[in-house]
Structure formats: structure tokens, C-alpha cells
Amino acid sequence: MLQWMAHAGDPPRALAWDDVGPSDRTCPACGAAMRRVAAYGAVLDSCADHGVWFDRSELERVLYRFAIGEPTR
């Protein structure tokens, strides 16, 4: 499923991320500064070139809240 989402172009509207601001982390793939984005009760780190990076349990939280139809905010 995640592989499909990564190659499907723009994410569905329900998966839109809210920009929270700059992250204190760098992208593990390229070393660029990341942004923090919020969705479904999780604040995630996002690289403009490499996508969203999930910490422990964040993916499960996002998928669960998406599956039950909980709003992003």
C-alpha cells in the first residue's frame, strides 16, 4: 500500500498534510532539512525530495485513524 501511495502522484485529499514548521531533523537519505507535518494525530518529518519519515508507532497511528475516518484535526 505505501509503495502504491509513493508512486500514485498526489495523495488523496483525505491524506493531505498540515504544515507545522521546520523540523530539527535532517533527511536520512539526502541530509536536507526536513519540515514537520501533521496528520491524523501524528506529527511527522517530511523531506521535499524523499517523502514522509515515520518514527516508531506513527505509521500505525496514522493508518488506524485514517481507517476509522477520524478527521485530521
Side-chain angles (χ1 to χ4, degrees):
M1 178 176 156
L2 291 177
Q3 185 176 24
W4 171 82
M5 289 173 57
H7 297 289
D10 292 335
R13 194 179 77 167
L15 292 177
W17 312 109
D18 293 326
D19 190 357
V20 176
S23 174
D24 59 350
R25 296 185 179 183
T26 58
C27 175
C30 68
M34 294 198 290
R35 301 279 306 166
R36 293 176 60 81
V37 293
Y40 295 97
V43 178
L44 313 168
D45 297 299
S46 175
C47 172
D49 292 328
H50 296 104
V52 176
W53 294 86
F54 294 89
D55 292 337
R56 178 173 289 206
S57 78
E58 288 176 336
L59 177 59
E60 291 86 0
R61 182 183 318 155
V62 169
L63 292 176
Y64 174 76
R65 290 186 175 183
F66 175 76
I68 64 172
E70 185 173 300
T72 59
R73 293 180 189 89

